Amino acid sequence: MNIVVCVKQVPDTATERKLRSDDKTLDRDAADGVVNELDEYAVEEALRLKEAHGGEVTVLTMGPGRATETIRKALAMGADKAVHLSDDALHGSDALATSYAMAQTLKKIGFDLVILGSESTDARTGVLAAMLAERLGTPQLTLANKVDVDGTAIAIQRVTDYGFDKVEATLPAVVSVVEKINDPRYPSFKGIMAAKKKKVETLGIADAEIAAELVGLAGAWSEVAEFAAAPPRAAGTIVKDEGDGGTKTADFLASKKFI
Amino acid sequence: MTVDRMLPSDEARELMGLVGELTAKEVAPRAAGEESAGRFPREVFRTLGAAGLLGLPYPQEYGGAAQPQEVYLQVVEELAGAWLAVGLGVSVHTLSCFPVAAYGTPEQREELLPGMLGGDLLGAYCLSEPQSGSDAAALSTRAAEDSGGFLVDGVKAWITHGGVADFYTLMARTADDGARGVSCLHVPAGAAGLSAGVPERKMGMRSSPTAQVRFDGVRLPPEALVGERGEGFRIAMAALDGGRLGIAACAVGVAQAAFDVAVGYAGERRQFGSRIADFQGMSFMLADMATQIAAARALYLDAARMRDAGLPYGTKAAMAKLFATDMCMRVTTDAVQVLGGYGYVEDFPVERYMREAKVLQIVEGTNQIQRLVIGRAVTKPDPA
């Protein structure tokens, strides 16, 4: 089975994240880049499927040069090879443009199964899996906490508010995963060393037959009109217990709709 | 822990990055709870084993990572700073693999090392006995001739991983000839007649079982012999030279961890209107701690680099063990002092570090034995 895992480099959520004042895109230099956490679950699931059914796991990322760090991590975990879609023309692509560029690349490299995390910790649109499936003309099986493959049949458990749905389809397909699906492995030291020797193919937009006018800031369908820094945290509320502390706390939580 | 390290390769930097991630996510968060409960974290060793950290200094062809001692020991330091039972456990395991790796026949290495270094197995090292500690050559566990193989009877004491190890590297007497009558044997944990006693109730490192290991008519095949018959004491001493560097690295790790807590606390705690770190009495104390830690790290790394270069390093290893562990005792005691009352309670980790430091002055040769080794090396024999 030819599995492609889409991974994304995102700014570390533990650091302060900023947008650039000039074009209102992410300021990638302001924070350390890490693998989007949900994508690590996607890599793990891809590796488990490969271990169970054989085949090959290819990592696909779209991002600037430094996104190779993210590719290395996925390769160190055990993926076989990687494709890095990198082109200045892609800078500022929104979700629609990104899905177009990724879909073009996926058509070029071929796949039986595409796996990705259900959302990224930076933009958090959570729409890429659906958009990719639509563009590729394959079934979409999203928000999976369990994936079973049997020949060309694929079934997932889709997490819902009320439990889960069982969704079945035939490969090729696009699957997005949630964090409950598995426990991602750590790379081993040998894996880190071996990753250096694995093939990373870098593609520009021409290589993937991506039309320049459909991607980047100019090709984006959505626009960041304005942004402002998050307001500083307001002072907390101190509840003084005068025999009714429990009630006051419960009222406070209820007012914030926590309970 | 943010320690500026001079590492010899990109590979070593990547390794330290992996170790940093593992200690932050898998080791440090569990230390206080497991120490308090006295539970051995076998699964943490499996995680480290899967990551390839249980055979770092050994050849790649047998499943090791061919890392120099200089790098391996800094990994031990980082692990010990997060949790001494884990850092010291890795050091003991690595020491237990040394005799087969350095003195085993090609067949023994082929047969045993991949398992020992592969990450699934954990080793223990059996030299001390109830009546034979510093005077190791006085050991009495006997490995008698037994139809070509050996019949082992005796009791080993203070065995780290006793009862949880998968193999035991054993020093036993094959002849009544003092140090020359000792041989080294490889014993799988499942050998009939091998049993471990109730773990000792220790002052610290409670999650790492230390127990007596009893050999009651344990039969071993001739292939269990590692090195030549009668070569065991020499092997044991060579292993201990390396083990001492492991303990020195552990001591630096624990001291660094204590210092980090102390310096963090001193930067937040306010008395008389200012941070206590801004009182000169406090900042001088912290300055001395930092200096002592840096000096101990430099000393063990110097010995490690000599070993990596193939130079004699035994005396320097003894110096590093002596200096680093005495330093660790002082620094952890001072860290408790910096935190005052908060340092004395279990809500902060420094009282644990202080309890852990003490054992490092005792194991792998007491610090009195280290002085004996160093003293012999620096004085000439009396010509009279």
Side-chain angles (χ1 to χ4, degrees):
Chain A
M1 185 166 41
N2 182 6
I3 308 171
V4 180
V5 196
C6 304
V7 300
K8 183 181 186 185
Q9 186 176 51
V10 295
D12 191 345
T13 49
T15 58
E16 195 193 348
R17 293 168 287 171
K18 290 181 189 157
L19 295 182
R20 281 163 43 161
S21 53
D22 53 357
D23 64 3
K24 304 189 181 82
T25 61
L26 173 69
D27 185 350
R28 293 179 192 268
D29 295 330
D32 288 339
V34 297
V35 183
N36 178 46
E37 197 183 332
L38 276 166
D39 297 344
E40 291 191 23
Y41 294 83
V43 173
E44 177 65 35
E45 199 57 26
L47 294 173
R48 289 184 187 193
L49 287 170
K50 177 194 155 175
E51 282 156 12
H53 303 284
E56 192 174 48
V57 175
T58 305
V59 179
L60 170 61
T61 200
M62 171 174 141
R66 62 185 272 191
T68 47
E69 296 159 19
T70 291
I71 291 176
R72 289 284 164 215
K73 172 100 191 240
L75 291 175
M77 285 172 76
D80 299 291
K81 59 188 175 60
V83 174
H84 184 180
L85 177 60
S86 186
D87 199 306
D88 289 345
L90 295 165
H91 173 75
S93 296
D94 63 358
L96 265 178
T98 300
S99 67
Y100 162 67
M102 297 280 280
Q104 288 298 100
T105 313
L106 283 162
K107 282 179 199 162
K108 183 166 177 62
I109 62 181
F111 61 91
D112 297 315
L113 180 60
V114 177
I115 307 186
L116 61 165
S118 56
E119 64 177 36
S120 61
T121 54
D122 52 359
R124 301 197 65 174
T125 59
V127 294
L128 197 67
M131 288 180 171
L132 277 180
E134 195 60 27
R135 289 190 185 277
L136 295 168
T138 68
Q140 53 162 308
L141 302 96
T142 53
L143 303 174
N145 70 357
K146 190 169 185 295
V147 176
D148 287 310
V149 173
D150 185 3
T152 57
I154 180 164
I156 68 150
Q157 282 186 11
R158 181 180 206 272
V159 179
T160 64
D161 288 341
Y162 43 86
F164 64 84
D165 293 332
K166 191 163 181 209
V167 186
E168 295 174 344
T170 305
L171 296 179
V174 176
V175 170
S176 78
V177 302
V178 297
E179 78 283 0
K180 289 186 189 73
I181 193 166
N182 57 39
D183 201 2
R185 68 195 66 187
Y186 289 97
S188 70
F189 183 47
K190 286 193 183 77
I192 290 171
M193 293 299 107
K196 291 183 189 303
K197 299 191 186 87
K198 290 178 179 172
K199 191 176 159 209
V200 179
E201 188 183 2
T202 304
L203 301 180
I205 59 167
D207 303 316
E209 294 171 36
I210 295 165
E213 64 277 15
L214 297 179
V215 293
L217 273 175
W221 283 68
S222 59
E223 186 187 354
V224 177
E226 210 177 326
F227 69 91
R233 198 161 13 158
T237 309
I238 295 173
V239 176
K240 194 164 180 205
D241 186 14
E242 289 162 337
D244 57 354
T247 315
K248 282 182 183 165
T249 308
D251 288 347
F252 172 78
L253 291 173
S255 76
K256 300 288 180 195
K257 296 193 165 44
F258 284 120
I259 53 174
Chain B
M1 192 166 7
T2 47
V3 176
D4 293 329
R5 297 184 186 279
M6 192 177 76
L7 293 162
S9 63
D10 283 342
E11 193 171 286
R13 274 181 283 278
E14 303 239 19
L15 173 61
M16 292 308 277
L18 172 63
V19 170
E21 186 179 1
L22 286 165
T23 51
K25 290 188 185 162
E26 299 290 333
V27 184
R30 311 165 73 162
E34 302 288 48
E35 274 301 315
S36 176
R39 256 196 311 264
F40 180 62
R42 185 64 182 90
E43 65 292 350
V44 171
F45 286 93
R46 285 192 209 289
T47 304
L48 298 183
L53 302 189
L54 294 187
L56 285 177
Y58 297 113
Q60 279 172 327
E61 57 179 312
Y62 300 117
Q67 288 302 297
Q69 289 287 320
E70 169 191 6
V71 173
Y72 153 69
L73 289 166
Q74 294 190 79
V75 171
V76 169
E77 181 195 323
E78 289 279 343
L79 292 171
W83 190 352
L84 179 61
V86 172
L88 190 129
V90 169
S91 177
V92 166
H93 167 81
T94 306
L95 166 83
S96 309
C97 299
F98 171 78
V100 172
Y103 295 87
T105 61
E107 295 74 34
Q108 280 175 319
R109 289 181 206 170
E110 201 93 1
E111 163 94 21
L112 298 171
L113 279 180
M116 293 162 82
L117 307 179
D120 289 334
L121 304 185
L122 201 57
Y125 183 76
C126 297
L127 175 64
S128 292
E129 297 183 356
Q131 306 303 330
S132 158
S134 294
D135 186 4
L139 65 86
S140 65
T141 294
R142 187 160 291 280
E145 282 288 346
D146 176 55
S147 52
F150 301 91
L151 180 65
V152 184
D153 282 287
V155 178
K156 291 292 178 178
W158 311 114
I159 308 307
T160 300
H161 301 158
V164 299
D166 301 294
F167 64 89
Y168 294 83
T169 300
L170 169 70
M171 300 300 164
R173 185 160 295 292
T174 45
D176 290 319
D177 195 10
R180 281 186 295 266
V182 177
S183 298
C184 178
L185 296 155
H186 177 86
V187 190
L194 186 156
S195 62
V198 176
E200 307 289 351
R201 293 175 299 163
K202 303 196 295 295
M203 177 175 163
M205 274 227 325
R206 289 175 184 154
S207 65
S208 173
T210 307
Q212 288 197 348
V213 176
R214 179 175 290 279
F215 296 83
D216 203 357
V218 175
R219 286 181 195 282
L220 298 174
E223 316 79 88
L225 178 70
V226 181
E228 300 293 322
R229 195 178 284 260
E231 200 184 11
F233 194 74
R234 201 158 67 86
I235 296 175
M237 291 303 112
L240 279 185
D241 281 343
R244 283 167 185 162
L245 289 181
I247 300 303
C250 286
V252 172
V254 171
Q256 180 74 49
F259 173 78
D260 289 345
V261 175
V263 90
Y265 181 85
E268 283 177 7
R269 172 77 166 171
R270 301 187 81 86
Q271 291 289 279
F272 306 106
S274 50
R275 305 183 316 159
I276 63 170
D278 294 331
F279 296 120
Q280 202 172 51
M282 181 60 68
S283 73
F284 277 17
M285 200 165 159
L286 294 168
D288 283 341
M289 291 160 82
T291 306
Q292 294 280 307
I293 293 167
R297 183 178 292 118
L299 185 53
Y300 91 66
L301 285 174
D302 183 46
R305 287 170 185 144
M306 288 180 75
R307 182 178 182 186
D308 289 329
L311 299 168
Y313 72 100
T315 307
K316 250 190 190 151
M319 289 175 176
K321 196 273 177 182
L322 168 66
F323 184 82
T325 59
D326 281 356
M327 174 284 291
C328 184
M329 194 70 248
R330 277 196 309 277
V331 165
T332 54
T333 306
D334 285 348
V336 171
Q337 194 69 18
V338 169
L339 270 74
Y342 294 108
Y344 198 67
V345 295
E346 291 184 16
D347 302 312
F348 287 85
V350 289
E351 62 83 31
R352 168 162 72 83
Y353 298 143
M354 185 176 164
R355 287 185 285 108
E356 289 176 343
K358 188 64 219 172
V359 80
L360 299 174
Q361 293 179 302
I362 299 169
V363 294
E364 239 70 309
T366 63
N367 282 7
Q368 286 65 39
I369 288 294
Q370 307 304 327
R371 289 181 171 90
L372 195 80
V373 169
I374 301 161
R376 278 181 190 155
V378 298
T379 56
K380 294 196 170 80
D382 186 350

